[in-house]
Structures are given as structure tokens and as C-alpha cells.
Amino acid sequence: MARDVIIACDFPSKADVMKFLDLFTEEKPFVKIGMELFYAEGPSIVREIKERGHKIFLDLKLHDIPNTVKSAMAVLRDLDVDITNLHASGTVAMMEAAIEGLTRPDGTRPLLIAVTQLTSTSEERMREDLLINAPIEDVVAHYARNAKKAGLDGVVCSPLEAATVHANCGDGFITVTPGVRFADGDVGDQSRVTTPARAREIGSDYIVVGRPIIKAADPVAAYRRCVNEFVKGE
Ligand code: C5P
């Protein structure tokens, strides 16, 4: 299993993200590029960060009719990212279409993972805003099984749900887990959170960490703390 820390580079511009990445002189962290940076800078930001030697998780969370998602994925496949994603709530048919679009003529493709429930969504909000009455664990497990059925490689979920996903879909099915906070840190708008050390115990494959690293007084030290706790188990 790969087990790695992915930094959520939630910055508004190329200048900001490059200034941040310049801080890392000894390591080349796996980075997540999300909507903010992608919408601000376009596909070139992906190519430039890739050229600097970073692995990239392109987090655009596609959710539309199957044909539109297939066409969009066919554009994204040429960006040569390592992981990209969509919302499992878009249905199995949408996920199957996504795989088709993402697969290159030579049969290769980036890993494709599905968002189950956003880690900012509590069970109460799911019930009252989305009218989903099942327990959150059941919803996550069901969406994960759908993603597996459609041929995806894994899911985005809370680290608290990683063991449930592995129990339902097998250990080889990847769990990428945001909602990670240091024991002494701020939770912010996240709801289902845990620490890097606990995420390791539960069995997350990758943790996605944004503000605890990018807003830290010393981001490189915060990144290394995540690696020590999550990857090395120290
Ligand atoms: O700053 P923080 O560590 O909360 O950042 C988490 C990152 O993971 C954000 O970029 C957010 O968009 C993303 N994310 C999430 N929950 C999901 C999927 C993605 O928080 N279910």
C-alpha cells in the first residue's frame, strides 16, 4: 500500500502556490489541486506543478450527466495527473462513463476515486438538508460499493470511515481521507475529523491535509509532522 500525505494546495493563484512549494527544498510532496486554483489558473498550473516533480491529485469533484462527465474526463486524461475524482452520488452510470472518458487509447488512465459524503457533512445535515435518512456509515459504504462496481479505484471519505470502506470493498480499494487535524489544532469547517496517527491506525491509504499545513507558521515542519505520524507511525 502506498500510504502518503497529500497537501491540499488551496491557494488563489499561481504566485501563491509556487511560493508555498518553494519552501520544500528537501522533499517533493504529493499535492492536491482543487477548484480554486484550477479555475483561477487553468490547466497550465497542473502541467507546471507536474514539471516540478510533484505527484498530483486533481480534485474537481465532477458531478453531471454521464455524457458530460465522460467528455470532461476525456479532456482531463491528457493532463497526466496521478489521481482525479467525481461524486459517487452522480450514480453508477455516471462513474462508468467517467472511466470510459478517462481511459487513454493505450489503456492507461489516472486513478479515479469517488467522493462519498463530504467530510464537512454531518449526519444531521445529511438527514435534514439532503433527506438521506440512513446512518452516514451505511451511506458511505453503499457509495463505496457503487464506486467499486463501476470500476473505480477508491473513494474520498473521512478517515473515520476508512475501515468500513476496506471491509466492504477490500484492502486494495484506496481510501483518500481529508478531515485531518493535529490533536492540538483547529477543526475549522470540517465535521468528521481525526489526527494523522489515528488515520494510520484506522487504515487510510492517503491523508489530505490543507489548512493544518498551508496555514502553519512553519509549513515544512507541519508537513513533516504529518509524515512522521501517518507514514512512519512515529
Ligand atoms: O484545510 P483542510 O485540511 O480542511 O482541507 C481539506 C481539503 O480536502 C479541501 O481542499 C477540501 O476541498 C477537500 N475535501 C474535503 N472533504 C471531502 C473531499 C475533499 O475536505 N470529502
Side-chain angles (χ1 to χ4, degrees):
M1 191 199 64
R3 195 182 284 140
D4 206 352
V5 174
I6 302 179
I7 304 179
C9 288
D10 293 328
F11 293 103
S13 70
K14 177 178 161 181
D16 291 306
V17 72
M18 293 308 183
K19 194 169 141 204
F20 172 77
L21 293 177
D22 282 343
L23 298 173
F24 292 85
T25 53
E26 286 172 35
E27 50 263 285
K28 288 273 178 215
F30 203 135
V31 300
K32 180 174 88 68
I33 298 176
M35 296 179 196
E36 183 182 15
L37 193 57
F38 191 80
Y39 291 154
E41 299 289 349
S44 64
I45 191 71
V46 176
R47 294 192 190 95
E48 285 182 47
I49 293 177
K50 188 86 197 176
E51 271 163 25
R52 292 172 68 125
H54 297 271
K55 285 191 177 172
I56 296 179
F57 168 21
L58 184 59
D59 177 25
L60 300 180
K61 300 189 182 73
L62 275 67
H63 188 174
D64 207 317
I65 59 171
N67 190 58
T68 301
V69 169
K70 180 178 164 184
S71 311
M73 286 292 184
V75 176
L76 296 183
R77 77 182 182 205
D78 293 329
L79 285 180
D80 195 26
V81 297
D82 298 277
I83 307 179
T84 193
N85 67 351
L86 43 62
H87 274 283
S89 53
T91 74
V92 172
M94 188 200 80
M95 292 191 271
E96 287 171 346
I99 292 265
E100 249 184 82
L102 198 60
T103 305
R104 304 182 186 103
D106 67 0
T108 62
R109 62 167 173 78
L111 294 177
L112 182 62
I113 59 177
V115 176
T116 52
Q117 280 293 336
L118 294 173
T119 42
S120 55
T121 307
S122 64
E123 195 161 287
E124 185 191 11
R125 294 278 48 94
M126 218 178 58
R127 197 170 53 241
E128 293 184 10
D129 295 2
L130 308 180
L131 219 61
I132 299 174
N133 283 308
I136 206 155
E137 288 269 324
D138 294 0
V139 175
V140 169
H142 182 64
Y143 285 12
R145 286 192 300 268
N146 283 351
K148 187 164 187 204
K149 199 194 307 176
L152 271 69
D153 306 291
V155 288
V156 186
C157 61
S158 157
L160 302 170
E161 292 142 5
T164 307
V165 169
H166 285 140
N168 275 273
C169 300
D171 284 339
F173 196 66
I174 301 166
T175 51
V176 177
T177 66
V180 172
R181 293 293 179 263
F182 292 122
D184 48 10
D186 263 356
V187 170
D189 61 349
Q190 294 285 16
S191 165
R192 302 182 335 271
V193 298
T194 193
T195 61
R198 183 77 187 117
R200 176 189 170 94
E201 284 167 18
I202 306 173
S204 292
D205 297 289
Y206 297 88
I207 53 172
V208 175
V209 188
R211 288 161 289 181
I213 294 176
I214 69 173
K215 303 273 189 214
D218 183 345
V220 176
Y223 170 73
R224 287 183 183 153
R225 184 176 170 192
C226 284
V227 171
N228 286 340
E229 277 191 36
F230 179 70
V231 183
K232 300 182 183 162
E234 288 167 358

